[in-house]
Amino acid sequence: MNIDLTDTTSGEINSTLVTARRAMGSPAVGMVLTLVIVTDEGSHYDALKAANEASKEHPSRILVVVRRPGRSPRDRATARLDAEVRVGGETGTGETVLLRLHGELAGHAHSVVLPLLLPDAPVVVWWPADAPEHPSKDPLGALAQRRITDAAETEDPVSALRLRARSYAPGDTDLAWTRVTLWRSVLAAALDQGQTPITGAVVEGEEYNPSVDLLALWLAARLEVPVRRVVSEGPGITAVRMATGEGDVCLVRGSGSLARLSVPGQPDRGVALHRRSTAELIAEELRRLDPDETYAQAVGFGLDRLERPGAAAATGGAAEPAEDAEPAEEPAAEPAGGAGSPSAKGAGRSRAKRSGGKEAR
């Protein structure tokens, strides 16, 4: 059921939602959170499609905010709210409201969204692109327990990661980080099997892929060894190589969804590392709404502390520690059970051994 409302108000939208639920025969509200998507006309279709897929796992009220401030002085001086209410069909057990804010109202989206939030339910705000510099200080971001950005959708992903590090607040996360969850899980499980200390690491991937940088930052922070970030042709992350006294621990993925894991003293084996859709990434982020301390430590570790030898180094073999590498700071303690949580550093055991083969979120 789709209902168009022109020049409407938040109160009228709420009344329409109640009427639509009753008409569908489900007056009770069975949704667990409100997902606010802040996007533009060109991107709202793909973002809404991903959110609808994720809502099958997490029934949600989805509010899509599309700002249309206008180009002419007359358009900018007006204030009008148009809405499209969708209940049933592709929305499943959830609800979708597409909000178009015209003129001056475009600068006051929070005043429109606030009355539409589900009572006593978490709020998640997602910027598929063009996220604010400080998501937690944004009027919409201030309403949320979780704020999702995507550095991969920016013109300069490296600068975006630096900005995310400076502006981080508990509850912030980035889809570039979510994309490396499977890699972190496999690497943590592989390291749990070994006893030999890791002396250095190399992460290979596309030049302008922030997930490659975040995976390298995570390894550098957790292993406390020099990590080189080198460029490959991709797609995405192509390999992680960690040097030990017994040989390299390697996780290599080509263009397919199957990676090869090599551990010294063990036969090579295949590992499923498929490239997940945006809907799968959003669904993962909605499973846990508490602050992601592992992401905070990784993004705040410092991109300047990674070694970047250039594209030619992408064909290199074993990872060797740099002689002049700056020692990593002692990582902050985090709750046990997260992917990449530290294990004991006693004699005879690897500093690299980590518990937490499970996904971080």
Side-chain angles (χ1 to χ4, degrees):
M1 177 184 294
N2 289 9
I3 303 172
D4 291 325
L5 301 173
T6 303
D7 198 6
T8 185
T9 63
S10 297
E12 187 175 351
I13 294 172
N14 265 323
S15 298
T16 303
L17 286 169
V18 173
T19 302
R21 283 200 304 269
R22 288 175 177 170
M24 296 291 295
S26 57
V29 178
M31 292 162 284
V32 298
L33 59 88
T34 303
L35 175 61
V36 181
I37 305 173
V38 186
T39 182
D40 55 28
E41 288 287 0
S43 305
H44 86 271
Y45 176 81
D46 291 334
L48 183 54
K49 182 178 179 181
N52 283 331
E53 286 294 320
S55 69
K56 295 178 181 178
E57 182 177 339
H58 310 277
S60 313
R61 173 176 288 179
I62 302 172
L63 306 177
V64 184
V65 177
V66 179
R67 293 186 173 99
R68 304 186 68 175
R71 296 181 180 179
S72 67
R74 177 180 298 178
D75 291 339
R76 291 193 293 269
T78 61
R80 190 179 86 246
L81 171 63
D82 296 336
E84 182 180 344
V85 177
R86 303 177 185 177
V87 179
E90 64 181 10
T91 63
T93 58
E95 301 169 341
T96 298
V97 182
L98 183 58
L99 303 166
R100 288 186 171 90
L101 284 63
H102 298 266
E104 291 184 352
L105 193 60
H108 303 277
H110 61 287
S111 63
V112 176
V113 168
L114 185 59
L116 300 176
L117 302 178
L118 290 172
D120 302 321
V123 179
V124 178
V125 177
W126 171 31
W127 292 271
D130 300 324
E133 291 187 4
H134 297 271
S136 63
K137 296 181 180 180
D138 181 83
L140 281 174
L143 301 175
Q145 286 75 40
R146 193 75 162 185
R147 296 167 293 273
I148 305 173
T149 57
D150 192 353
E153 295 298 322
T154 62
E155 294 184 3
D156 189 346
V158 174
S159 295
L161 288 183
R162 296 183 193 275
L163 181 59
R164 296 284 80 85
R166 292 195 302 269
S167 64
Y168 175 81
D172 290 356
T173 191
D174 197 280
L175 292 186
W177 170 252
T178 318
R179 293 184 182 98
V180 303
T181 299
L182 299 181
W183 283 84
R184 294 189 297 118
S185 299
V186 173
L187 292 171
L191 293 175
D192 277 341
Q193 305 173 23
Q195 304 295 328
T196 304
I198 304 296
T199 58
V202 169
V203 179
E204 303 177 10
E206 290 177 308
E207 183 174 3
Y208 297 107
N209 190 316
S211 295
V212 185
D213 294 283
L214 283 172
L215 183 58
L217 289 169
W218 174 71
L219 285 172
R222 307 310 296 168
L223 297 178
E224 304 176 24
V225 298
V227 176
R228 285 192 293 156
R229 195 284 199 215
V230 299
V231 177
S232 69
E233 295 182 356
I237 305 170
T238 54
V240 176
R241 311 178 193 276
M242 296 175 289
T244 74
E246 299 176 354
D248 283 0
V249 176
C250 299
L251 182 59
V252 181
R253 182 184 69 178
S255 58
S257 59
L258 189 66
R260 185 183 74 256
L261 177 63
S262 303
V263 179
Q266 300 181 20
D268 292 356
R269 55 185 182 273
V271 179
L273 273 181
H274 69 283
R275 292 170 174 83
R276 297 183 294 168
S277 66
T278 304
E280 292 175 290
L281 300 177
I282 291 297
E284 178 186 331
E285 286 299 337
L286 298 182
R287 289 183 197 129
R288 284 186 57 179
L289 301 179
D290 55 321
D292 190 340
E293 297 179 1
T294 310
Y295 165 71
Q297 184 182 36
V299 75
F301 186 77
L303 285 166
D304 294 335
R305 300 170 70 177
L306 296 179
E307 300 178 31
R308 298 174 182 271
T315 58
E320 295 293 336
E323 295 179 359
D324 58 347
E326 180 180 348
E329 296 178 359
E330 185 68 13
E334 69 178 39
S341 57
S343 59
K345 301 179 183 177
R349 297 182 63 83
S350 169
R351 292 190 305 161
K353 179 177 179 182
R354 298 290 182 262
S355 62
K358 300 185 296 181
E359 293 190 359
R361 298 174 302 290

